[in-house]
Amino acid sequence: EDLAVMRTSLLPSIVRTVAFNLNRKNMEGRLFELAKVYNPKSLPLTELPDEKLRLSFAIFGENEDFFTAKGVVEGILDNFAFGKKVKYVPCDLKAMHPTRSAYVYVNDVLIGYLGQVNPLVCDKLDIDKPVYAGEIYYDTLKDLFNGKIVFKAISKFPVVERDLAISVADDMPCDKI
């Protein structure tokens, strides 16, 4: 029933998934979803909405923080935007914490956001632990990607490692072995 409508953001569903896991005593986790969102060009709808691919993620657990979420985004950017200028700007989304969230720009193009989910949102879902989440605008990031993905085949002849042990008399010199 939740997926009967076209989503404009993946954040609500991934935060509900975190709540589902916490209610079942899964006290830590890292989740992601790659799916399409649909943004209307105008309201009321007179034409089909824009269809965009988004990557959302959520991180929860005792040892997780804003910098863990930032590390996830930087890991993605290492592959898609290596060598490009990355900038983090304070985020003003109501669903995100007012001081622990940021928009992510690559070469001055907005490619997503990350941070702590607003505690008020977590309270409504009975989440009593901090949740860190974000969305990457995959289509936008893909357009900035100018590198080549290189594939190297796995060798037909895998490495063979052997461990040898030789028993010799204590008075045997090394050069004789």
Side-chain angles (χ1 to χ4, degrees):
E1 186 178 310
D2 288 352
L3 302 177
V5 295
M6 293 189 282
R7 301 182 285 178
T8 58
S9 174
L10 301 177
L11 188 66
S13 65
I14 203 152
V15 173
R16 278 195 302 271
T17 304
V18 169
F20 180 87
N21 277 275
L22 287 170
N23 288 336
R24 281 148 186 82
K25 304 299 180 209
N26 294 324
M27 302 316 269
E28 59 184 42
R30 293 182 178 195
L31 311 170
F32 77 95
E33 179 181 7
L34 183 64
K36 291 185 178 179
V37 296
Y38 305 90
N39 295 315
K41 296 174 186 168
S42 64
L43 291 174
L45 285 176
T46 56
E47 57 185 318
L48 292 173
D50 284 334
E51 200 175 303
K52 301 285 184 181
L53 194 58
R54 297 261 176 100
L55 172 66
S56 71
F57 66 91
I59 301 168
F60 60 99
E62 192 168 315
N63 297 320
E64 309 298 359
D65 59 13
F66 174 84
F67 298 104
T68 307
K70 187 178 175 201
V72 168
V73 172
E74 288 177 351
I76 293 168
L77 296 180
D78 280 348
N79 291 304
F80 279 90
F82 184 76
K84 297 192 176 170
K85 187 177 112 185
V86 178
K87 181 171 60 172
Y88 298 90
V89 175
C91 181
D92 60 358
L93 293 172
K94 300 259 187 257
M96 302 304 287
H97 193 285
T99 60
R100 296 182 196 141
S101 59
Y103 289 115
V104 183
Y105 288 85
V106 173
N107 287 352
D108 295 323
V109 176
L110 179 65
I111 59 106
Y113 62 90
L114 71 123
Q116 183 178 345
V117 176
N118 194 321
L120 298 173
V121 173
C122 290
D123 286 344
K124 288 184 180 185
L125 295 169
D126 294 326
I127 299 173
D128 60 352
K129 300 185 179 329
V131 176
Y132 300 89
E135 274 190 5
I136 301 296
Y137 308 152
Y138 186 81
D139 290 331
T140 307
L141 184 60
K142 183 180 68 171
D143 291 342
L144 293 171
F145 181 65
N146 61 3
K148 262 176 137 172
I149 296 177
V150 179
F151 171 75
K152 185 177 176 185
I154 297 172
S155 173
K156 292 180 188 176
F157 309 104
V159 176
V160 176
E161 294 181 21
R162 292 197 176 116
D163 186 15
L164 295 175
I166 301 172
S167 296
V168 294
D170 289 340
D171 60 348
M172 172 77 70
C174 294
D175 63 342
K176 297 274 186 188
I177 297 176

